[in-house]
Amino acid sequence: MAARGIAGGNMAVVVGVLLVCAFLHAGVAESAEFTVGDGGGWSVSAGSWPNGKRFKGRDVLVFNYDPTAHDVVAVSAEGYRACAAPSGAKVYKSGADRVTLALGPNYFISSVPGDCQAGMKITVTAAKQGRIGGAS
């Protein structure tokens, strides 16, 4: 009888471990990865790319581009409207940058002269439960 109790206890431990693993996996699966511009990458034609997509905080944007020609800068709403990166802004230059979204609006431009003015900028709004993104 004691052996049966131990086996039953072990089964409960196994089931518990499996449940914990399932919950941990579900938490990790909540964030998604998006390639900006899809196959076209980060370019002057990527401005409307966020339209119709749902983004959540902690989703990751992947910016693929030619690093000898462009860059990516996270800016404020003012920097987005003015196509200007403030002094000290984080400038991504690898050509395969991964940026984790914060909740709310996230603004990105290319600070290479002429890029932003030509349309190389996006706004992505990340919501807690997912919200449709857009460009302006």
Side-chain angles (χ1 to χ4, degrees):
M1 192 107 175
R4 186 174 182 190
I6 293 171
N10 285 342
M11 181 58 80
V13 169
V14 169
V15 169
V17 168
L18 289 174
L19 285 173
V20 168
C21 289
F23 286 126
L24 290 175
H25 178 69
V28 170
E30 286 182 20
S31 63
E33 184 174 293
F34 296 89
T35 301
V36 175
D38 298 319
W42 175 233
S43 67
V44 295
S45 62
S48 63
W49 170 81
N51 294 343
K53 293 177 178 62
R54 294 183 183 273
F55 302 97
K56 295 184 286 186
R58 298 189 350 191
D59 282 351
V60 175
L61 297 185
V62 179
F63 291 84
N64 293 320
Y65 58 93
D66 176 357
T68 65
H70 309 291
D71 63 17
V72 178
V73 184
V75 296
S76 66
E78 295 77 26
Y80 180 85
R81 284 191 293 275
C83 283
S87 176
K90 170 68 174 157
V91 180
Y92 298 90
K93 300 179 182 182
S94 77
D97 304 310
R98 300 173 56 82
V99 181
T100 302
L101 294 173
L103 288 176
N106 294 259
Y107 303 93
F108 303 96
I109 67 170
S110 172
S111 67
V112 172
D115 277 359
C116 184
Q117 293 80 358
M120 200 164 178
K121 62 183 188 173
I122 60 170
T123 301
V124 174
T125 301
K128 193 170 189 177
Q129 295 300 319
R131 179 174 168 206
I132 293 178
S136 55

